[in-house]
Amino acid sequence: MRQVALAFLTDTQDKILLYLRDDRPDISYPGYWALLGGGIEPGESPLDAVRREIREEIGCDAHGLALVRKFDVVNNPMCDDHTIYLFSGKIDKKLEEMRLTEGQELRYFTLEEFRSLKFPDPLKPYCPV
């Protein structure tokens, strides 16, 4: 089963950093707001993978990354079966200091705003908010 590492990142004001996924029918959860992260490469630890993915996706590092939970997503019509390593961490950069390399948009959200977003259902119960 494919393995991915994702990060639930918040800034110094506890705003949540998310990116808007591309709106293409060939990807999982097209047009949804999502966490940064991605696939774990062979021989790579989940922590190393999430660090690498964050650097690749926004050009900067997160701090204090800690594993929140590991869980499987199976039989979901929106995506293939996979294992998720979900991390939490902090980011101390403004949007202008980041460069998004995939997806449509990068934005910070308050907890209230987050709760009303189009966001992947399998992740909602595990997000540390």
Side-chain angles (χ1 to χ4, degrees), residues 40-107:
I40 299 172
E41 295 178 358
E44 188 175 43
S45 74
L47 180 58
D48 288 341
V50 77
R51 285 180 176 146
R52 175 185 50 76
E53 287 285 345
I54 292 167
R55 268 186 246 109
E56 289 176 3
E57 292 174 354
I58 60 173
C60 59
D61 294 318
H63 308 283
L65 289 165
L67 184 65
V68 173
R69 185 169 184 122
K70 173 189 171 190
F71 60 98
D72 294 329
V73 177
V74 294
N75 301 319
N76 182 317
M78 295 287 289
C79 60
D80 293 334
D81 293 352
H82 60 289
T83 299
I84 294 176
Y85 291 84
L86 179 62
F87 291 85
S88 65
K90 292 289 187 180
I91 189 118
D92 59 4
K93 301 288 184 187
K94 296 179 182 174
L95 290 176
E96 307 81 51
E97 298 175 276
M98 300 179 219
R99 66 179 194 307
L100 184 64
T101 60
E102 67 180 58
Q104 303 177 63
E105 184 181 349
L106 188 65
R107 192 186 310 173

